[in-house]
Amino acid sequence: AGSSSSINSEEGVLYAEISALANDGTGRTIAINKDTNDRIQLYFSSSNNTVSVFYKAQSGATNFILNYVLNDVKIFNKIAFKWKTNDFALWVNGLEVDSLLNGVTSLSGTLDKLDFKLFNTSGAFYGNTKDVRVYNTALTDAELQALTTL
């Protein structure tokens, strides 16, 4: 885990090429956060073969979950979550699989830490990781497609 002033709270992309060790309902999380109020959580959820993103900004002014059922969480998948005011999207293996076109983002300087767990130290990421990146601008659809294509 590390902190960085280069994380842009107002827009960006969290990207990961990851796989789970098992499909056993255990939450495995990669998160960008500062505290319990504002956070981005990319995780394999307790639902069978499901990847999810939980997004909370401005103490709940925007608060949602995007989900997608993968073929298999135990193989590497390329996953990206884009956030920008009124433009949120989950990309998996070259496809935009879920989106939300309304909502605010966190205030400048709010998100400053990348973790392999939830803000409260639970949900540690137990899995395989080839690549994890945080982009400080929201990428275009073409860039997200190229980034996440297997």
Side-chain angles (χ1 to χ4, degrees):
S3 296
S4 174
S5 60
S6 66
I7 296 174
N8 185 349
S9 302
E10 299 166 279
E11 71 173 88
V13 171
L14 173 59
Y15 167 79
E17 185 174 0
I18 53 178
S19 67
L21 298 177
N23 185 23
D24 60 3
T26 303
R28 296 165 171 84
T29 304
I30 298 172
I32 299 174
N33 59 57
K34 183 172 189 165
D35 55 31
T36 62
N37 289 324
D38 287 47
R39 60 189 185 271
I40 298 167
Q41 296 167 196
L42 171 67
Y43 60 98
F44 293 125
S45 77
S46 58
S47 298
N48 193 28
N49 284 319
T50 301
V51 63
S52 300
V53 171
F54 174 76
Y55 185 84
K56 184 177 179 185
Q58 296 189 31
S59 299
T62 300
N63 189 354
F64 61 84
I65 297 175
L66 301 178
N67 298 293
Y68 181 69
V69 178
L70 301 164
N71 289 329
D72 187 351
V73 295
K74 298 183 306 295
I75 63 171
F76 277 99
N77 291 278
K78 293 184 175 185
I79 303 162
F81 172 67
K82 171 183 70 173
W83 70 94
K84 184 177 179 180
T85 298
N86 298 323
D87 188 6
F88 304 88
L90 177 61
W91 284 76
V92 177
N93 300 333
L95 300 172
E96 182 179 319
V97 297
D98 204 354
S99 64
L100 183 69
L101 298 177
N102 63 334
V104 297
T105 59
S106 296
L107 300 175
S108 179
T110 303
L111 301 174
D112 67 353
K113 185 171 56 172
L114 175 65
D115 270 324
F116 283 78
K117 62 180 176 10
L118 295 173
F119 63 91
N120 62 3
T121 72
S122 68
F125 184 84
Y126 293 105
N128 298 303
T129 305
K130 282 189 181 178
D131 194 359
V132 174
R133 302 179 205 172
V134 179
Y135 292 86
N136 64 4
T137 59
L139 302 178
T140 66
D141 287 354
E143 290 170 326
L144 287 162
Q145 183 179 32
L147 179 66
T148 60
T149 295
L150 290 173

